[in-house]
Amino acid sequence: MRIYVYPGSFDPVTNGHIDIIDRAAKQCDKLIVAVLVNSKKKPVFTIEERVELLKCALAGRPNIEIDSFTGLTVDYLKRKNASVIIRGLRAVSDFENEFQMAILNKQLSPDIETIFMMTSLNYLYLSSSVVRELAANNGNIDGLVPDCIKDRVIEKLRSLKK
Ligand code: ADP
């Protein structure tokens, strides 16, 4: 059974992430979307909220699981018997960081591959931080995040601004 893991902050999940998730899920038997706890970034949504938003956004997809983890991604993959880390690439600016992480993970665990998927054109400029910025400032986030999480994202960002 081919188990892949898509790790990330998902603060919050966007339609750019969903696009990568749907495409990656076709390449494996099970895709685990895993929220990374403890990244260097200071998240706006708690880990429980981010998992909850992912669950809502991905409900009904049969071979997708949602989880969260702490520690090294390669250790998490081993615990889950997974073989591949999925990452998305947008602009050249993503490249250096992703390259560094992929090399590091390869050194830590040579059996684990990182597979990169290029963004779809529509999501080239979409990031969680763009969504947060718009939601906090009365901008329209229609089409940028899954419909079922839209209101919760707006509510949270506006409440933080008060
Ligand atoms: P991280 O903090 O690990 O970068 P993110 O939630 O920001 O977590 O992103 C997770 C992964 O999804 C990263 O590989 C990122 O490059 C990718 N990604 C984010 N937004 C998009 C998008 N619009 N199109 C394609 N990939 C994306």
Side-chain angles (χ1 to χ4, degrees):
M1 174 144 147
R2 280 167 312 152
I3 303 173
Y4 290 7
V5 171
Y6 181 33
S9 309
F10 306 108
D11 187 36
V13 60
T14 70
N15 283 339
H17 295 127
I18 300 288
D19 173 60
I20 299 286
I21 290 166
D22 281 333
R23 288 159 57 199
K26 289 187 195 145
Q27 309 299 323
C28 58
D29 300 301
K30 179 162 88 177
L31 177 70
I32 305 174
V33 181
V35 182
L36 176 55
V37 184
N38 227 352
S39 76
K40 280 170 273 170
K41 303 174 186 173
K42 255 191 136 243
V44 165
F45 292 87
T46 67
I47 190 77
E48 293 79 16
E49 285 171 329
R50 285 178 277 154
V51 166
E52 205 37 59
L53 294 175
L54 277 163
K55 281 188 177 159
C56 177
L58 295 166
R61 276 138 161 118
N63 68 332
I64 296 175
E65 233 176 73
I66 321 292
D67 194 13
S68 61
F69 70 100
T70 50
L72 295 177
T73 303
V74 288
D75 291 339
Y76 176 73
L77 267 86
K78 283 178 202 156
R79 290 203 294 279
K80 292 288 174 180
N81 280 319
S83 54
V84 168
I85 301 171
I86 292 287
R87 295 288 288 174
L89 285 177
R90 280 157 299 184
V92 184
S93 53
D94 280 340
F95 183 80
E96 179 147 11
N97 207 12
E98 295 291 343
F99 186 61
Q100 208 173 35
M101 272 195 298
I103 298 278
L104 176 70
N105 286 330
K106 194 80 198 166
Q107 270 167 357
L108 291 172
S109 193
D111 292 340
I112 291 175
E113 286 298 340
T114 303
I115 296 184
F116 292 100
M117 304 192 83
M118 297 301 295
T119 184
S120 299
L121 193 54
N122 288 350
Y123 306 122
L124 187 55
Y125 297 105
L126 180 54
S127 63
S128 297
S129 60
V130 162
V131 167
R132 292 195 302 268
E133 194 61 29
L134 285 171
N137 294 291
N138 300 318
N140 184 358
I141 59 168
D142 286 0
L144 302 186
V145 301
D147 286 343
C148 73
I149 75 163
K150 202 180 88 181
D151 291 346
R152 267 186 283 173
V153 170
I154 291 173
E155 212 171 289
K156 171 93 180 189
L157 269 300
R158 291 196 190 153
S159 73
L160 289 176
K161 238 196 145 187
K162 278 176 195 156

